[in-house]
Amino acid sequence: MKLPGHKHVSGKCPAVREVLNRVGDKWSVLVVALLGDGKKRFSELRRAIEGISQRMLTLTLKGLERDGLVTRTFYPTIPPRVEYELTKLGRSLLTPITGLSDWAGRNRERIQAARDRYDAQNSKLQESFR
């Protein structure tokens, strides 16, 4: 991927793509945003993220932990308790995530209008082929 004003270094592309796949994943973004408010237990995260399965949340948290964005703390109580928290690196991700979220909020109506125009044009085009 080549961004305006940035030199393209082909050796870095797979590594950059791998990182962007993690931080650009919708579940990862939601988990990081929620953990931006502080430590959370698994069940708190699960309740707060509509539509995520237990398995997907587990995989997302493991991936974020593996990438050094989240820490997992196990407390050997009865019942056992596990808390997740952003690392310093994970907290640094809050700035771009917040910026993207703000951008999406400011532009959602324009994006929806563009979708509506596109859908209307394509439905007319599809009707002409029938």
Side-chain angles (χ1 to χ4, degrees):
M1 171 170 68
K2 187 171 182 178
L3 300 174
H6 291 80
K7 291 184 179 179
H8 179 75
V9 182
S10 62
K12 291 184 180 180
C13 278
V16 169
R17 185 173 39 246
E18 187 177 312
V19 170
L20 289 175
N21 284 340
R22 166 71 56 221
V23 300
D25 169 80
K26 73 176 180 177
W27 300 124
S28 295
V29 169
L30 290 170
V31 168
V32 169
L34 284 168
L35 291 176
D37 294 333
K39 295 178 186 178
K40 300 265 187 294
R41 294 178 69 169
F42 185 93
S43 58
E44 291 177 280
L45 291 168
R46 176 93 191 273
R47 280 192 301 272
I49 304 173
E50 186 177 325
I52 194 168
S53 68
Q54 182 171 334
R55 181 179 185 277
M56 185 52 65
L57 180 56
T58 298
L59 291 172
T60 299
L61 287 165
K62 284 183 179 184
L64 291 169
E65 184 179 10
R66 181 174 182 249
D67 290 348
L69 301 171
V70 167
T71 58
R72 177 184 185 271
T73 305
F74 175 79
Y75 298 96
T77 58
I78 298 176
R81 185 169 55 108
V82 177
E83 289 181 337
Y84 296 90
E85 182 176 23
L86 292 178
T87 63
K88 185 177 180 179
L89 180 61
R91 283 191 305 277
S92 73
L93 185 55
L94 288 171
T95 301
I97 284 175
T98 302
L100 184 57
S101 177
D102 291 346
W103 179 89
R106 284 190 312 271
N107 292 287
R108 67 182 174 76
E109 289 177 2
R110 286 193 282 184
I111 291 169
Q112 187 58 53
R115 288 176 179 172
D116 293 344
R117 282 190 306 274
Y118 178 90
D119 291 347
Q121 289 171 345
N122 280 332
S123 68
K124 289 177 188 175
L125 184 62
Q126 287 177 355
E127 286 177 18
S128 68
F129 286 117
R130 289 183 186 166

